[in-house]
Amino acid sequence: MAAPRPAGAVRPLDRQKLPGYWWPFGSFLQRSPPEGAHVHHASTPSAGNTSATPSRRTVLAATAGVTAALTIGQGSAHADDDRRLRGLISRMSLEEKVGQLFVSRVYGHSATAPDQADIDANLRELGVRTAAELLAKYRLGGIIYFAWAHNTRAPHQIADLSNGIQKASLDLPRGLPVLISTDQEHGIVARVGKPATLFPGAMAVGAGGSRADARTLGRIAGEELRAMGIRQDYAPVADVNVNPANPVIGVRSFGSDPDAVAGLVAAEVAGYQRSKVAATAKHFPGHGDTEVDSHYGFPVIEHTREQWGTIDAPPFRAAIKAGIDSIMTAHIMVPALDASGDPATLSRPILTGILREELGYDGVVVTDSLGMEGVRTKYGDDRVPVLALKAGVDQLLNPPKLDVAWNAVLKAVQDGELTEERLDESILRVLRLKSKLGLFAEPYVSARGVDRAVGTEAHLAAADRVAERTTTLLVNEGGLLPLSPREHPRLLVVGADPASPSGTTGPPTGVLAAALTELGFTATALSTGTAPSAATVDRAVAAAQDADAVVVGTYNVTATSSQKTLVERLLATGKPVVAVAVRNPYDVAQLPGVRGYLASYSWTDVELRAAARVIAGQVRPRGKLPVPVQRADDPARVLYPLGHGLSY
């Protein structure tokens, strides 16, 4: 009988169980996580119980004889890498190959023991109970995390979930590590919230104009995601927002200047690369000039080929030059690039002709969610994944019915519509990325790594410093700002309280009031919402009588919005009114009577706290508009130009 394995040792491969299969990577000599690495078992562990994994030195020592394989991803070994990866692909069954192309959601905080409600959701939507069962059934190449799927409750829980997913996949015959991804754009789109560090969103960073800040964002965001086992981030947004009515991009874009956006995209990509997390430029070929949300409709971009080249293309060119690891497609039609009427996600002229051949990109191409209406308008859910692969896509993201999509791709190969060689081409790109990110050598994460990286004081302070450089002062008539606690000790904070972005404190009025109170004011919050009723407006006006000044948060104000009525009634009280546009900076055009107007570009805590410090004069406003603001009465004329921004 063999001697017992010492604690901390790596279990050797039992080749008798896998006849004829060569594992070329060190991590695959582990059929389960290293001893001591916490994973989910039958009972749900408490958050924060992820134990430290063995050191890399231990792993290397235990896998003597295959250390050369652990250098996968280094440039000098690129040819050998591809040879080894092709060896893996050649040993896959067709079903395993199909699975590697899919990235799916799954419900639950645990890979093996989710809550009953999440088990029910998984059974209803995916036909399995758990993430582990999902991986066993479909041999998926990727999993995407969402807050609404209960994947991202707390940093240690996320790390545990990631380890459980990796264990479930690696324990399968010929098991491969999973590429775990999420949408962590920061600003209004973030799936991992407090206590992780949350930075200002893209348009705020665009207002700051600092490529160094964009690199800092990418580096710190990447460090924190990697510590939790998330190796692919669907950021940055490379769309150039030239349409103020854009309902889906807006403040998720760095701005309207293609060159400025390109520089910030490249800088953020460099930050992610430093942290060894895959950045994803989105949404190719450019979603910045639309008035339709592709989640709910099918946008058409009417740019000419020349306009596309000068407006939409520069950020993607810059991302490719910076070595971007993945690019996400857009569910939009661009007739000048493909007259077929197909969405870009399904367009071979766009994805292969332009992205691959013209721009020279050979990294991973991932679709935007296949559950969005923009890609489902013309074709059924069984045709969409097949057509996407024929167009040049590598990863099929979050199909609404995984079984339909998975079986459709399998059947397309069996019927000869797709070849196995075409699948192999995409699988090689996906495996190259997994290798580059270190997933073959180190698929697991540790509690110590989470504690060292996620939401540290240094990271939070860096986010605050970045935010302070983004707040933009648009109007300051008569030197109304900054306010002084001596002259205006009692503040009323009213306004819109949209649902707080994931993981932030909220609501915005409460966050602003708390921040201003900490700065020496006595601030009272009164939420009036995005569409205040007449009674709510009356209540706010009455409350203003007892205040020395009013701070009002505005959110996408229109000519007929009752938010406009609220602000006008507050101005009529004679009290000083300071407005903060907590989403789009275009609000200022609808409220010409406001003497002090700031733009924070989002209602996340970090941006609202920065706006409070500007209101109180603790820091000078330094942001500059990254988009122009047109006049409300004549949209053909510019009210505040690109680059406008006042200071004290």
Side-chain angles (χ1 to χ4, degrees):
M1 187 174 73
R5 186 170 74 255
V10 177
R11 180 164 59 194
L13 174 68
D14 185 350
R15 298 182 189 278
Q16 300 302 316
K17 295 180 180 178
L18 299 171
Y21 200 97
W22 172 56
W23 293 102
F25 301 108
S27 69
F28 285 158
L29 298 181
Q30 308 159 195
R31 299 294 294 146
S32 63
E35 207 66 23
H38 182 275
V39 295
H40 293 287
H41 298 292
S43 59
T44 306
S46 59
N49 198 28
T50 309
S51 301
T53 57
S55 68
R56 185 169 176 79
R57 180 179 299 174
T58 302
V59 174
L60 290 174
T63 57
V66 293
T67 51
L70 292 175
T71 63
I72 291 304
Q74 297 178 6
S76 62
H78 182 74
D80 285 344
D81 298 349
D82 274 9
R83 177 177 59 81
R84 294 183 180 101
L85 295 172
R86 287 192 172 97
L88 282 180
I89 295 169
S90 70
R91 292 165 175 82
M92 292 181 189
S93 68
L94 176 57
E95 289 79 6
E96 290 165 2
K97 289 182 178 183
V98 171
Q100 280 298 300
L101 303 174
F102 282 93
V103 182
S104 178
R105 70 197 177 281
V106 66
Y107 291 86
H109 70 289
S110 161
T112 55
D115 295 339
Q116 186 61 49
D118 292 322
I119 291 174
D120 294 342
N122 284 328
L123 287 169
R124 184 172 58 253
E125 295 184 21
L126 300 166
V128 297
R129 294 165 51 85
T130 67
E133 291 180 11
L134 184 69
L135 292 163
K137 183 173 182 178
Y138 292 107
R139 304 303 293 264
L140 297 177
I143 293 285
I144 179 173
Y145 285 171
F146 291 104
W148 50 260
H150 309 139
N151 305 138
T152 57
R153 292 179 178 177
H156 283 281
Q157 168 269 317
I158 297 169
D160 288 345
L161 174 60
S162 298
N163 281 347
I165 285 170
Q166 298 297 356
K167 179 186 187 303
S169 185
L170 290 169
D171 274 358
L172 296 168
R174 298 175 301 282
L176 292 168
V178 177
L179 186 54
I180 298 172
S181 60
T182 199
D183 291 284
Q184 191 79 351
E185 296 175 15
H186 294 266
I188 69 171
V189 177
R191 311 304 187 199
V192 181
K194 293 173 63 178
T197 304
L198 294 171
F199 278 86
M203 191 171 284
V205 174
S210 169
R211 295 183 183 183
D213 284 349
R215 276 192 297 275
T216 295
L217 187 160
R219 174 180 60 80
I220 291 176
E223 287 176 9
E224 297 199 5
L225 291 175
R226 185 180 176 87
M228 293 179 281
I230 300 169
R231 306 291 185 99
Q232 184 178 24
D233 190 11
Y234 297 135
V237 172
D239 304 315
V240 181
N241 199 75
V242 294
N243 189 337
N246 194 324
V248 64
I249 303 301
V251 295
R252 297 168 62 198
S253 162
F254 287 111
S256 64
D257 182 300
D259 292 335
V261 173
L264 293 168
V265 164
E268 189 169 311
V269 169
Y272 279 106
Q273 288 171 334
R274 181 171 169 182
S275 297
K276 297 182 181 178
V277 164
T280 308
K282 61 186 186 185
H283 309 77
F284 190 82
H287 208 314
D289 189 6
T290 174
E291 296 184 14
V292 175
D293 185 341
S294 52
H295 290 85
Y296 310 108
F298 186 19
V300 179
I301 306 291
E302 299 289 359
H303 289 182
T304 65
R305 187 67 161 76
E306 183 180 7
Q307 287 173 323
W308 176 82
T310 57
I311 296 172
D312 303 290
F316 292 101
R317 291 184 187 276
I320 293 168
K321 185 176 180 181
I324 189 76
D325 288 310
S326 51
I327 290 178
M328 180 179 285
T329 67
H331 303 326
I332 58 173
M333 180 176 25
V334 189
L337 305 184
D338 180 358
S340 70
D342 286 345
T345 297
L346 309 182
S347 169
R348 186 169 179 83
I350 291 174
L351 298 187
T352 296
I354 295 176
L355 181 57
R356 297 283 191 209
E357 296 171 359
E358 182 180 325
L359 300 187
Y361 177 65
D362 193 36
V364 170
V365 173
V366 56
T367 70
D368 206 342
S369 170
L370 297 183
M372 294 166 59
E373 187 60 32
V375 78
R376 303 172 76 189
T377 297
K378 189 173 177 182
Y379 301 101
D381 291 337
D382 58 336
R383 293 301 299 156
V384 165
V386 175
L387 294 174
L389 290 169
K390 293 176 77 171
V393 158
D394 302 306
Q395 287 184 308
L396 300 160
L397 178 62
N398 204 27
K401 297 177 182 177
L402 180 58
D403 59 336
V404 170
W406 190 91
N407 282 296
V409 173
L410 182 67
K411 185 175 186 298
V413 178
Q414 292 169 338
D415 291 349
E417 183 179 5
L418 286 170
T419 65
E420 263 195 85
E421 289 74 21
R422 169 66 193 88
L423 268 58
D424 293 351
E425 178 185 324
S426 286
I427 295 166
L428 179 60
R429 290 195 186 100
V430 173
L431 293 185
R432 278 177 184 158
L433 181 54
K434 292 181 181 183
S435 175
K436 177 181 177 181
L437 299 174
L439 275 167
F440 287 103
E442 297 180 6
Y444 301 104
V445 294
S446 69
R448 182 181 301 175
V450 171
D451 293 336
R452 279 198 302 251
V454 180
T456 65
E457 288 186 14
H459 287 179
L460 295 171
D464 280 333
R465 288 193 299 270
V466 170
E468 286 180 352
R469 294 188 276 270
T470 68
T471 307
T472 307
L473 180 59
L474 302 174
V475 180
N476 195 21
E477 293 180 6
L480 173 61
L481 289 168
L483 299 180
S484 162
R486 253 195 328 255
E487 296 177 18
H488 305 95
R490 297 171 301 169
L491 299 183
L492 174 67
V493 181
V494 302
D497 273 338
S500 187
S502 297
T504 60
T505 304
T509 51
V511 174
L512 266 175
L516 289 164
T517 297
E518 288 178 6
L519 293 168
F521 298 91
T522 301
T524 303
L526 174 61
S527 174
T528 51
T530 55
S533 65
T536 299
V537 172
D538 288 342
R539 189 161 62 251
V541 170
Q545 303 303 322
D546 296 325
D548 299 303
V550 180
V551 177
V552 55
T554 67
Y555 181 98
N556 294 358
V557 179
T558 65
T560 58
S561 170
S562 56
Q563 290 183 66
K564 185 172 182 179
T565 303
L566 168 68
V567 175
E568 290 171 346
R569 290 278 308 279
L570 290 169
L571 287 168
T573 66
K575 302 285 185 176
V577 174
V578 176
V580 181
V582 300
R583 185 165 182 164
N584 291 313
Y586 313 114
D587 290 1
V588 65
Q590 297 289 347
L591 299 165
V594 177
R595 293 169 48 214
Y597 219 128
L598 298 166
S600 69
Y601 307 99
S602 182
W603 58 104
T604 54
D605 298 355
V606 69
E607 289 162 294
L608 294 174
R609 289 196 307 265
R613 291 194 292 277
V614 169
I615 290 170
Q618 296 293 310
V619 296
R620 294 183 300 106
R622 286 183 273 179
K624 305 293 182 183
L625 275 176
V627 294
V629 174
Q630 281 82 20
R631 292 176 59 105
D633 58 351
D634 185 0
R637 297 172 60 192
V638 172
L639 178 63
Y640 297 112
L642 184 75
H644 171 76
L646 307 174
S647 191
Y648 303 147

